[in-house]
Amino acid sequence: KSINMDMNILPNEVLCIIFSCLDEKSIQSASKVCKLWFDLIRSDLKLSSHVCLVNDGLKEFQTKLENSEWIWERWPVLRSLELRSFLHPDVLEATRLVKLINFKHCETLEKVEFNVTFNLMEFWQNHHSFVYIKKLTFNPQVEMNSFGLEHASSMDLRLYDLNKDKICKALELIGDKAKCLQNLSIFIGESYSGENLRGVVDVLIKCGFSSLFKALNCTLESIYFRNSTEDNYYLDYDLLKLLSEYCKNLTEIVVKSDINFYRFPSSIGRFQYLKNLTVPKLCYVESFAQNYDTITYLCVDKIDMIKLKKYDLRAMCQNFKELRKCCFQVRVNAVNNPGHYGSICYEWPKIIDETFQEWHEVKFIFKVKTETYFEAETVIVTKLPYQKSVIDQETQGTFGPLS
């Protein structure tokens, strides 16, 4: 039975508790209901202290200010503003736009973050050509004439050459200067593969990355690591081990690797706040055993079907006590038997339902390699919380004779 009730009889504190249970889109809708709700939402630190404008950059935000589409007075508790436009200005253009926008009109604003294209080679041509800043963060209440490493909140490191002294010096400088760095991506090129280069890698680990991670121990929250060295899987282990020693505040780790090994060292240590984990192979999973009770999202993106069938998924689910969502990308080799792969994929809804808990959200993406049925390249099996697993209808339509 439905109950009609006047929401205005509820105390403001109760309304704020109700609003706190809404998602971002629903909060926006609720703020348009009436002036009371608008004022409550915009004056609540939990609801309106951070705003992310997904489609706006500095230029678009300036236009909104000029057209009165954004009025500072309507955000009395705003502390953090994030601009996430896909159009990234260079650092000179960003500096010009920031000077045009008077952020000081919002007295509560403490942090502004925006995307940017910033290659440090433009300023330090002797080195740092492999350092690319993706996001800058600054305090609008502090006078600023230019941007530098101290404003970087997201950064790419692309290591393709072998000048270990240059790289170690740059990594040490980044650790010393980049005190706002939260997100770091590291790309290791194929130049570092081969047993004869092990000494170079050791120097980078001991003298470069060790000092970098130690300096970022309080700020670094997310790391993306891509290793293109096919025969040097110890590089993955060494970096992860360093991170567990120095960067214990990490909440997200993404490891992409082209290694061909199917074994990995047993343990890399504990990250006390780790929630999201992406690894290239199943052999990495057990290395994070000390985080079985913290990880809520798990992705394994390079699984061979033969290895998957031998892996104990049920035990994995039991180990990850807080797991809520997971994704597996599986490679199916059907070159020699193309008519058989459909039945292989179709058996997985039942396996998933019997293996995972009711509250788990699961996605299996089967990448099928076949020379006969070119359209049937991907099969996706999904399971939503408290529902049965299904094969996506869009994918199912590509099966042709397999149906």
Side-chain angles (χ1 to χ4, degrees):
K1 294 182 179 179
S2 60
I3 300 176
N4 295 323
M5 184 180 68
D6 184 1
M7 293 288 289
N8 292 326
I9 67 173
L10 294 176
N12 292 345
E13 294 80 6
V14 175
L15 286 173
C16 288
I17 293 174
I18 295 174
F19 294 149
S20 67
C21 298
L22 302 179
D23 57 30
E24 185 175 345
K25 185 177 180 180
S26 299
I27 290 175
Q28 292 177 0
S29 299
S31 66
K32 300 176 183 178
V33 171
C34 63
K35 186 177 185 304
L36 173 63
W37 288 19
F38 177 89
D39 291 339
L40 288 176
I41 291 173
R42 291 293 177 88
S43 300
D44 192 310
L45 279 172
K46 294 181 180 179
L47 302 176
S48 299
S49 63
H50 173 78
V51 173
C52 177
L53 303 180
V54 178
N55 298 317
D56 292 341
L58 290 169
K59 188 174 183 179
E60 293 80 8
F61 186 72
Q62 180 194 14
T63 302
K64 281 189 172 183
L65 286 170
E66 293 174 349
N67 297 335
S68 298
E69 297 176 30
W70 182 279
I71 300 175
W72 292 116
E73 289 75 13
R74 295 181 178 177
W75 298 91
V77 296
L78 182 62
R79 293 183 178 178
S80 175
L81 176 63
E82 182 179 356
L83 305 174
R84 203 183 288 179
S85 171
F86 290 104
L87 299 176
H88 301 177
D90 59 37
V91 67
L92 297 178
E93 175 66 6
T95 303
R96 185 187 71 83
L97 290 171
V98 166
K99 291 180 178 179
L100 291 176
I101 302 173
N102 193 346
F103 289 102
K104 290 186 177 181
H105 281 168
C106 183
E107 297 180 354
T108 60
L109 190 60
E110 301 172 348
K111 175 183 174 182
V112 177
E113 183 179 55
F114 60 92
N115 293 329
V116 70
T117 300
F118 187 180
N119 183 352
L120 293 191
M121 186 174 63
E122 300 175 15
F123 296 87
W124 301 320
Q125 295 185 3
N126 293 330
H127 50 286
H128 316 315
S129 60
F130 57 89
V131 182
Y132 299 82
I133 295 177
K134 298 192 298 183
K135 286 185 180 181
L136 292 173
T137 301
F138 69 98
N139 185 345
Q141 307 303 329
V142 178
E143 292 293 339
M144 184 194 59
N145 296 319
S146 62
F147 289 106
L149 269 175
E150 64 273 17
H151 300 106
S153 57
S154 182
M155 180 185 298
D156 286 353
L157 302 178
R158 303 175 187 178
L159 310 184
Y160 296 112
D161 62 46
L162 301 175
N163 192 328
K164 60 181 182 298
D165 295 331
K166 180 179 71 174
I167 293 175
C168 289
K169 183 178 179 181
L171 294 179
E172 184 178 354
L173 181 62
I174 293 170
D176 183 53
K177 297 289 185 179
K179 298 302 182 182
C180 294
L181 193 61
Q182 295 178 315
N183 307 306
L184 180 63
S185 298
I186 303 173
F187 302 86
I188 307 293
E190 296 179 357
S191 302
Y192 293 92
S193 62
E195 289 296 327
N196 58 324
L197 296 176
R198 182 63 197 178
V200 176
V201 173
D202 286 341
V203 172
L204 290 180
I205 294 294
K206 295 177 181 178
C207 301
F209 286 110
S210 180
S211 61
L212 174 66
F213 294 156
K214 188 174 182 179
L216 300 178
N217 64 337
C218 294
T219 63
L220 197 62
E221 297 178 359
S222 173
I223 189 160
Y224 176 102
F225 173 54
R226 175 63 188 264
N227 179 9
S228 298
T229 62
E230 295 184 1
D231 54 358
N232 195 354
Y233 80 97
Y234 286 104
L235 185 57
D236 293 7
Y237 174 76
D238 290 339
L239 285 177
L240 290 170
K241 189 68 175 177
L242 275 180
L243 288 168
S244 69
E245 293 175 3
Y246 296 122
C247 300
K248 295 185 177 295
N249 291 329
L250 283 172
T251 60
E252 180 178 23
I253 295 177
V254 178
V255 181
K256 302 284 185 176
S257 182
D258 295 331
I259 65 169
N260 295 318
F261 290 90
Y262 289 95
R263 288 188 293 178
F264 198 72
S266 58
S267 177
I268 52 99
R270 176 178 171 79
F271 302 89
Q272 57 185 352
Y273 300 114
L274 185 61
K275 297 294 183 182
N276 302 328
L277 175 64
T278 298
V279 291
K281 297 181 182 295
L282 288 166
C283 60
Y284 283 69
V285 174
E286 294 180 4
S287 300
F288 290 86
Q290 294 188 47
N291 278 102
Y292 281 158
D293 58 344
T294 67
I295 293 174
T296 59
Y297 170 77
L298 174 66
C299 176
V300 185
D301 65 3
K302 285 185 180 180
I303 310 175
D304 182 81
M305 176 63 85
I306 297 176
K307 297 293 180 182
L308 178 61
K309 286 190 172 183
K310 295 179 180 179
Y311 191 76
D312 193 344
L313 284 174
R314 190 182 299 274
M316 185 204 75
C317 293
Q318 294 173 349
N319 289 333
F320 286 98
K321 300 177 178 59
E322 298 298 322
L323 189 65
R324 291 296 179 269
K325 187 175 181 180
C326 52
C327 178
F328 300 89
Q329 299 196 44
V330 186
R331 294 175 296 185
V332 182
N333 189 347
V335 174
N336 297 325
N337 193 1
H340 180 60
Y341 79 85
S343 60
I344 294 176
C345 298
Y346 269 104
E347 68 184 13
W348 275 90
K350 181 180 179 181
I351 296 175
I352 292 173
D353 290 338
E354 294 175 349
T355 302
F356 292 87
Q357 299 294 337
E358 292 183 345
W359 59 80
H360 286 148
E361 181 178 345
V362 184
K363 176 178 287 188
F364 275 73
I365 303 172
F366 297 94
K367 299 288 186 178
V368 182
K369 181 180 180 181
T370 173
E371 297 177 347
T372 305
Y373 300 102
F374 295 100
E375 294 184 358
E377 296 178 346
T378 303
V379 180
I380 302 177
V381 181
T382 58
K383 175 195 171 303
L384 296 177
Y386 301 100
Q387 296 185 25
K388 295 292 185 180
S389 299
V390 296
I391 294 179
D392 286 0
Q393 294 298 316
E394 293 182 4
T395 307
Q396 192 172 8
T398 67
F399 279 86
L402 297 177
S403 59

